């Protein structure tokens, strides 16, 4: 892995990436649940119809992710970040003024969905990966700190008591425009005069920019090992985030206690993003993913024992911490194994690969409970997935590292 010094402008690029990531993902995901009741009333739709927004965002962003990864490797990253920012603003302006359910779906599916890939996940992470050689994992961890998503629900809950939902959407859109657009215009695609690590293969086996194509990545077992090891942790986080309240109640906790467990998971997760970014810099991406797999297998086994509340709170907080560490660890693993030039394609493919695992885990766990009146079967399945992730992480750590530089694109 490259240990070349970071360019002096790297910190600025990190700030731009962090603001972009937080404003897109933090506002969309953080506001959705609290605004559902007002959407039902204003648009005259059912709760199920109003709740369709987030699935549209997740499916749209996941399906588009591989194509966004390819675009980022070929088109100006600043331009794509700018498009993502404008789509975010357009989505909130649509929500602020529309009384049409069709336009509500357009806002989430055609504005927020693409924006999540362009300016929320792949774009910002690629910017960091290009600019940081030293402490790249730590930088990715800091950029992915869920700062906005932690404050948006608390803020909106109070704002709804004094102003209209339309005004709230308008204010969020204006804030996104004011914070994102000027900063993104300061973004620079590549460090000037610097080089980018490339795929560790002879030049005839790489694309012109030194990266692997999507097909070449998919043909490599190490890519699948890195991707699936990270998907295990991401699936764990989404599963608990979606079902922790009913799961906790099935263990005998009250609804407020189960909701508190969900808050603990989110708050402790903030530390995990930085901690595992730092660990990934020390151990490498593959070994760090194996470590996450081992720790989470043990933690989920403890949940299988239905521990008392205070033990469950510690365990679930630690699971949240490891889940938040998956993104910076994945980023370090992909760039170590396949080079900075391949990062955007690899990250985009990983997003799509994770979608069926996450969807199956959530739906399957709910089905297991409806049949058995227990989530134990789902917990056992997660333990097995993490045992597999240990093996995959160890395998991913083997093989050559990306070292050969090529001139960065202008």
């Amino acid at each position: 892995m490259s240990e070349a010094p970071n360019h002096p402008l790297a910190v600025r690029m990190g700030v731009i990436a962090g603001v972009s990531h937080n404003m897109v993902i933090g506002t969309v995901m953080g506001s959705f649940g609290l605004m559902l009741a007002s959407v039902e009333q204003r648009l005259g739709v059912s709760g199920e119809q109003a709740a369709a927004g987030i699935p549209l965002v997740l499916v749209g962003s996941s399906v588009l992710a591989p194509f966004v990864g390819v675009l980022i490797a070929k088109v100006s990253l600043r331009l794509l970040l700018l498009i993502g920012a404008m789509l975010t603003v357009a989505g909130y302006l649509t929500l602020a003024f529309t009384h049409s359910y069709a336009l509500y779906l357009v806002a989430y599916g055609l504005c927020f969905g693409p924006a999540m890939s362009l300016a929320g996940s792949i774009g910002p992470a690629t910017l960091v990966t290009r600019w940081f050689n030293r402490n790249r994992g730590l930088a990715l961890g800091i950029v992915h700190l869920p700062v906005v998503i932690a404050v948006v629900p608390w803020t909106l809950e109070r704002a709804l008591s004094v102003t209209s939902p339309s005004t709230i959407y308008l204010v969020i859109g204006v804030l996104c425009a004011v914070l994102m657009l000027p900063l993104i215009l300061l973004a620079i695609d590549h460090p000037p005069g610097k080089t980018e690590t490339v795929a560790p293969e002879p030049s005839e086996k790489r694309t012109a920019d030194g990266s692997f194509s999507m097909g070449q990545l998919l043909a490599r077992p190490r890519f699948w090992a890195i991707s699936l090891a990270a998907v295990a942790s991401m699936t764990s986080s989404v599963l608990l985030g979606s079902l922790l309240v009913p799961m906790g109640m099935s263990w005998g906790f009250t609804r407020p206690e189960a909701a508190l467990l969900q808050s603990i998971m989110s708050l402790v997760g903030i530390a995990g993003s930085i901690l595992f970014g730092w660990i990934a810099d020390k151990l490498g991406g593959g070994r760090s993913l194996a470590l996450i797999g081992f720790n989470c297998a043990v933690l989920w086994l403890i949940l299988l024992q239905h521990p008392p509340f205070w033990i469950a709170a510690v365990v679930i907080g630690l699971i949240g911490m490891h889940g938040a560490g998956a993104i910076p660890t994945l980023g370090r693993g992909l760039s170590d194994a396949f080079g900075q030039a391949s990062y955007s394609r690899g990250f985009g493919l990983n997003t799509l690969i994770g979608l069926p695992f996450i969807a199956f885990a959530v739906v399957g766990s709910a089905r297991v409970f409806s049949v058995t009146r227990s989530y134990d079967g789902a917990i056992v399945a997660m333990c097995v997935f993490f045992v597999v992730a240990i093996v995959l992480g160890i395998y991913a750590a083997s093989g050559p590292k990306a070292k050969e530089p090529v001139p960065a694109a202008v």
Side-chain angles (χ1 to χ4, degrees):
M1 65 185 70
S2 174
E3 292 297 335
N6 296 328
H7 190 276
L9 293 177
V11 173
R12 181 210 288 180
M13 300 306 134
V15 171
I16 294 169
V19 170
S20 183
H21 166 80
N22 264 277
M23 291 306 296
V24 177
I25 293 182
T27 60
V28 173
M29 305 302 290
S31 67
F32 184 76
L34 282 171
M35 303 299 285
L36 275 178
S38 66
V39 169
E40 295 175 41
Q41 182 179 8
R42 186 157 61 107
L43 302 185
V45 297
S46 67
E48 291 78 7
Q49 289 175 308
I54 285 300
L56 278 176
V57 171
L58 296 178
V59 172
S61 62
S62 298
V63 171
L64 286 172
F67 303 101
V68 172
V70 172
L71 277 176
I72 286 175
K74 298 177 177 295
V75 181
S76 166
L77 178 54
R78 177 171 58 186
L79 175 61
L80 295 176
L81 288 170
L82 195 61
I83 292 172
M86 290 189 292
L87 285 171
T88 303
V89 175
Y92 282 115
L93 293 180
T94 300
L95 293 176
F97 295 109
T98 189
H99 291 275
S100 162
Y101 179 63
L103 287 178
Y104 172 79
L105 297 180
V106 166
Y108 278 93
L110 298 183
C111 292
F112 294 148
M116 289 276 275
S117 286
L118 289 167
S121 58
I122 303 176
T126 301
L127 187 64
V128 171
T129 300
R130 287 177 176 178
W131 279 83
F132 282 83
N133 294 306
R134 291 181 180 172
N135 300 319
R136 187 183 307 139
L138 179 60
L140 284 166
I142 293 173
V143 163
H144 286 88
L145 283 174
V147 177
V148 171
I149 200 170
V151 301
V152 163
W154 181 87
T155 304
L156 290 191
E157 184 180 8
R158 284 148 184 80
L160 282 169
S161 64
V162 296
T163 190
S164 69
S166 294
T167 301
I168 290 174
Y169 284 131
L170 181 60
V171 169
I172 296 175
V174 170
L175 284 175
C176 287
V178 169
L179 292 176
M180 293 177 68
L181 297 178
L183 276 177
I184 289 174
L185 290 174
L186 297 176
I188 303 172
D189 286 4
H190 296 269
K194 292 291 181 179
T195 57
E196 198 169 66
T197 57
V198 300
E201 294 281 353
S203 58
E204 63 270 15
K205 295 184 178 181
R206 304 187 305 246
T207 61
D209 63 358
S211 66
F212 280 146
S213 67
M214 288 171 56
Q216 289 171 324
L217 284 171
L218 291 172
R220 279 160 172 77
R222 283 182 74 200
F223 171 75
W224 283 99
I226 293 171
S227 184
L228 292 177
V231 165
S233 188
M234 297 172 189
T235 300
S236 166
S237 295
V238 176
L239 174 59
L240 280 183
S242 302
L243 299 177
L244 189 51
V245 171
M247 190 179 288
M249 293 176 67
S250 76
W251 298 335
F253 303 144
T254 65
R255 181 177 291 275
E257 286 175 332
L260 178 59
L261 289 177
Q262 193 164 22
S263 298
I264 290 171
M265 177 181 162
S266 300
L267 290 173
V268 179
I270 294 176
S273 186
I274 296 178
L275 175 62
F276 279 97
W278 176 79
I279 290 174
D281 286 329
K282 302 300 180 183
L283 300 183
R287 291 186 182 90
S288 299
L289 287 169
L291 175 64
I292 290 175
F294 176 82
N295 291 348
C296 286
V298 173
L299 292 169
W300 277 83
L301 277 175
I302 295 174
L303 287 185
L304 192 60
Q305 311 308 312
H306 303 175
F309 179 80
W310 70 270
I311 294 179
V314 172
V315 169
I316 288 171
L318 290 173
I319 291 175
M321 183 180 73
H322 285 73
I327 296 297
T329 306
L330 168 67
R332 185 83 216 197
L334 288 174
S335 57
D336 283 353
F338 306 111
Q340 293 163 298
S342 301
Y343 176 81
S344 62
R345 290 188 180 97
F347 194 91
L349 282 172
N350 174 265
T351 302
L352 182 60
I353 289 168
L355 180 62
F357 285 91
I358 293 170
F360 179 78
V362 174
V363 175
S365 297
R367 177 62 178 168
V368 166
F369 180 78
S370 68
V371 172
T372 66
R373 309 312 299 172
S374 170
Y375 286 100
D376 286 358
I379 294 174
V380 170
M382 281 307 312
C383 290
V384 172
F385 198 175
F386 277 119
V387 170
V388 174
I390 298 170
V391 178
L392 294 174
I394 293 172
Y395 172 74
S398 65
K401 299 293 189 293
K403 292 182 179 180
E404 299 178 37
V406 293
V410 178

